[in-house]
Amino acid sequence: MSEISILKAEKSRIDGINWNNLGFGVYFSDHVYVSDYKDGKWDAGKIIPYGPMEFEPTLCTLHYGQSIFEGLKAFRSAKGGINIFRPDMNGKRLNHSAAKVCIPDFDLDQFIEALKVLVKLDEKFIPTERGCSLYIRPVVFGSGQFLGVHASDTYRHVIITSPVASYYPEGLNPVKILVESEHVRAVRGGLGSAKTAANYAASLYAGTVAKKNGFAQVLWLDGVTRHFVDEVGAMNIMFVIDNEIITPALDQGSILAGVTRDSVLTLARDWGMKVSERAVTIDEILEAYNNGKLNEAFGTGTAAVISPVGVLRYKDQDMVLNNQQIGPIAQRLYDTITGIQYGEVEDKFGWNIHID
Ligand SMILES: Cc1ncc(COP(=O)(O)O)c(C=O)c1O
């Protein structure tokens, strides 16, 4: 593999960071990785200072949304060094998304190498506080400048890193979720399984209305019948019914194959729990709730890891779960996954990529 060239920033951005109030995606590290695709291949990439990039107003991505991205995290390990959590999964999902919107594949080894070199170079931006981490945002977009509707011939892959706070500064907080029964995010045969800009654009309206009404996010139903549960705004959803973990299957292609989802299912199976990936309707959830069998519900995603649902509103009924307290399964999953990420719990599945 060719060497990644590095042009170091003349002045570090680190002094501008408020470490006591990092928020999410507010501060950026000194450098980004950039690789360009031209004449049918990706170049080896370079690391350059974070800063503006110049484009003409005809940048095709602005018009036709040929854009995909990823989200993963690096942590300071309790054993020393840095852990990047399951970057191979994000690399594979990036290529799945790429295929959906006609973006060329990116080499997985090159992806992992770029992450390692970039994270190591900006190591000082990884927060030391437990719960905080370095969020990594790879984004790939068509870089062609034209107005005809067609796939671009050229692409740019940029990897940004950003020190972020714990999602819940006061601990794991159960959230209020609104079941969205009017608007839809994705349909079978569409782009739902891709992490592409279009899906987030499609989710903004319903998400904004839900927030105004006091909900953290919406729970999407399938785009055809509006009975089957898909996923939450930026999380997959899991229900615990009669001590069985039930989550929508990926086979309809309308939901994102979350890395945290996979980690949760792997751990739960390893613990001997009953786990089902299958179609689940909102009526089934309501019925389980009314019969007192809905023990817990929680979202899974990189940002919050596990996000317990305290209230789930469907039409005019509020399902109040577990007295709006964190359930034992959500808590155990959260403790185990974050424990692995911070190097405190044995990484028996080999999920972390460690950098000394
Ligand atoms: C739509 C959507 N679903 C699910 C997830 C959870 O995926 P992951 O666990 O890989 O963060 C995310 C977050 O990236 C998301 O944006």
Side-chain angles (χ1 to χ4, degrees), residues 31-35 46-48 50 53 72 94 106 110-116 118-119 122 135-140 156-162:
H31 303 94
V32 291
Y33 170 85
V34 178
S35 170
K46 58 191 179 198
I47 287 177
I48 56 171
Y50 177 92
M53 289 181 173
L72 64 159
L94 188 72
F106 196 80
Q110 186 177 344
F111 178 68
I112 302 287
E113 185 61 18
L115 292 177
K116 282 165 121 176
L118 183 66
V119 168
D122 279 339
Y135 181 75
I136 305 170
R137 165 58 61 85
V139 58
V140 187
R156 175 161 283 193
H157 185 168
V158 183
I159 306 178
I160 304 153
T161 66
S162 167

Side-chain angles (χ1 to χ4, degrees), residues 93 185 195 200 231-236 256-261 300-302:
R93 191 170 66 187
R185 167 189 178 271
K195 207 162 167 64
Y200 296 84
E231 63 184 330
V232 183
M235 295 188 288
N236 294 110
L256 195 76
V259 176
T260 321
R261 175 188 184 278
T300 67
T302 296

Side-chain angles (χ1 to χ4, degrees), residues 115-244:
L115 292 177
K116 282 165 121 176
V117 176
L118 183 66
V119 168
K120 183 69 190 167
L121 181 67
D122 279 339
E123 187 175 9
K124 60 180 190 277
F125 285 86
I126 309 175
T128 47
E129 201 182 311
R130 176 72 159 82
C132 300
S133 57
L134 188 73
Y135 181 75
I136 305 170
R137 165 58 61 85
V139 58
V140 187
F141 55 94
S143 53
Q145 306 188 122
F146 54 82
L147 287 182
V149 182
H150 58 85
S152 186
D153 289 334
T154 58
Y155 295 89
R156 175 161 283 193
H157 185 168
V158 183
I159 306 178
I160 304 153
T161 66
S162 167
V164 297
S166 163
Y167 206 76
Y168 299 113
E170 329 79 48
L172 264 183
N173 260 343
V175 289
K176 279 178 79 178
I177 300 283
L178 177 69
V179 181
E180 176 58 63
S181 43
E182 187 186 348
H183 303 283
V184 296
R185 167 189 178 271
V187 288
R188 274 176 235 159
L191 293 175
S193 68
K195 207 162 167 64
T196 183
N199 287 332
Y200 296 84
S203 72
L204 290 177
Y205 180 77
T208 306
V209 173
K211 275 207 182 93
K212 265 194 202 138
N213 291 316
F215 295 91
Q217 294 193 23
V218 301
L219 174 64
W220 297 108
L221 300 178
D222 79 280
V224 181
T225 69
R226 292 178 209 187
H227 283 298
F228 294 98
V229 172
D230 267 356
E231 63 184 330
V232 183
M235 295 188 288
N236 294 110
I237 186 81
M238 311 239 168
F239 302 98
V240 184
I241 299 179
D242 248 351
N243 291 317
E244 174 185 1

Side-chain angles (χ1 to χ4, degrees), residues 69-73 84-98 106 108-109 111-112 115 138 193-195 236 250 256-266 269 277 300 302 341 349-353:
F69 65 98
E70 270 306 323
L72 64 159
K73 282 177 172 174
I84 308 181
F85 189 67
R86 308 194 74 180
D88 49 318
M89 292 280 284
N90 297 91
K92 285 181 200 143
R93 191 170 66 187
L94 188 72
N95 282 340
H96 169 81
S97 303
F106 196 80
L108 278 182
D109 292 335
F111 178 68
I112 302 287
L115 292 177
S193 68
K195 207 162 167 64
N236 294 110
L250 302 174
L256 195 76
V259 176
T260 321
R261 175 188 184 278
D262 183 81
S263 308
V264 162
L265 297 180
T266 304
R269 287 187 175 117
E277 295 174 70
T300 67
T302 296
Q341 292 171 330
F349 301 102
W351 284 339
N352 291 319
I353 285 204

Side-chain angles (χ1 to χ4, degrees), residues 75-83 120 123 342-343 354-356:
F75 305 83
R76 283 192 190 275
S77 171
K79 298 196 191 93
I82 304 158
N83 289 334
K120 183 69 190 167
E123 187 175 9
Y342 288 96
H354 188 79
I355 311 171
D356 286 324

